[in-house]
Amino acid sequence: MTVPARVSQQNPRALTPLAESIARLQTGSEIRFGTPTPAQDWTICSDLLAEPSRFDLWRKDLAEWMVEQYGESDDRATAGYIMGWYLHQPGYLAGLLFHTARRVPTLKPSDLAFRINTEGRPHPDGIALMCDEFACLPDDPASNHPAATVVASESALAAILRARYAAHAAQFVASFGQVVRFGRRTLWAAATDMLEYGPWAAGRLFGDENAGVTDAAMILPEKLEPFVSASTLHFTEEGWKRKRNSCCFHYVLPNAEPCTACPRTCN
């Protein structure tokens, strides 16, 4: 049974459960709750998606950095980098909160913002969640909070995460697809990779990689539309590995080493 969330209008973000969950995340990068300030340093995801030409400006800054680093840039690489960077934001945040707190935020583009590094490579170096609504399990200590939506099981919670991420990714695919030459399959392959990566990275970061792998398998138990595969994580002599579905095209840059498990250069 699902209980709809009703968020109080009286200072709804004061000491909310999601704010507390995020405050406990020690990840080495900035993750914050609430509307970020100063606002001009942050990009709300819905604003960016509503104006796809802003991706071109971001790619221009990235191309300039690539020229400094590699002597030239490449359109495929600027598109590939930004595709992964953007999708990493909702995927990583969702994976972290699912793994550490069994809570799933809304993930709506209007509820997420990120900050782009202004010194050197222009990658996102901070993410902000601006809505306190969340889904959780019945035994969550905050299950009676007005911002909570309670679901019956971990698999149901994983399904909510997958659906909310897919809704955000679909808006990205529609927007970014207008300004790059990538097809839908390439864009959804990247979305699949970042959905799998989030819980796996959370497990490694918080000391239980096996649990992170289990979470990824719960979120992507099989090939479910619009994603292009189930979780590909598998154990090898070198530890847990995955078969990536997408490519950032880093390998096309002069004298650049391919990424580990690059799907275009590795067997």
Side-chain angles (χ1 to χ4, degrees), residues 45 151 154:
C45 291
V151 298
E154 288 189 337

Side-chain angles (χ1 to χ4, degrees), residues 32-214:
R32 62 167 66 184
F33 182 84
T35 303
T37 55
Q40 66 268 22
D41 294 339
W42 293 77
T43 299
I44 297 175
C45 291
S46 58
D47 290 348
L48 176 59
L49 298 181
E51 194 175 350
S53 61
R54 292 175 60 180
F55 283 114
D56 290 332
L57 298 176
W58 191 2
R59 291 177 66 191
K60 180 177 179 294
D61 290 342
L62 177 56
E64 292 175 355
W65 175 83
M66 286 180 174
V67 170
E68 292 176 0
Q69 296 295 312
Y70 300 100
E72 64 183 69
S73 66
D74 185 278
D75 285 347
R76 291 168 295 174
T78 59
Y81 272 47
I82 286 175
M83 175 177 66
W85 285 345
Y86 182 94
L87 291 165
H88 178 77
Q89 306 310 302
Y92 186 50
L93 179 64
L96 283 170
L97 290 172
F98 183 82
H99 180 77
T100 60
R102 284 298 190 258
R103 291 172 178 171
V104 177
T106 69
L107 299 180
K108 294 177 182 177
S110 57
D111 294 336
L112 294 179
F114 62 92
R115 183 183 58 211
I116 297 176
N117 180 48
T118 57
E119 297 182 4
R121 191 178 71 166
H123 62 276
D125 65 359
I127 185 168
L129 175 64
M130 300 179 291
C131 179
D132 57 355
E133 296 181 29
F134 66 100
C136 67
L137 298 172
D139 61 355
D140 189 300
S143 60
N144 63 346
H145 191 277
T149 296
V150 179
V151 298
S153 65
E154 288 189 337
S155 61
L157 191 65
I160 284 182
L161 187 158
R162 185 171 59 247
R164 291 180 175 181
Y165 175 83
H168 188 140
Q171 294 185 58
F172 170 77
V173 168
S175 178
F176 196 57
Q178 297 178 46
V179 295
V180 296
R181 297 180 180 179
F182 294 162
R184 286 180 56 83
R185 205 276 178 193
T186 295
L187 295 168
W188 278 110
T192 305
D193 285 344
M194 291 306 168
L195 179 58
E196 177 183 54
Y197 179 77
W200 181 34
R204 289 188 295 177
L205 184 63
F206 288 95
D208 194 343
E209 185 176 14
N210 290 342
V213 170
T214 299

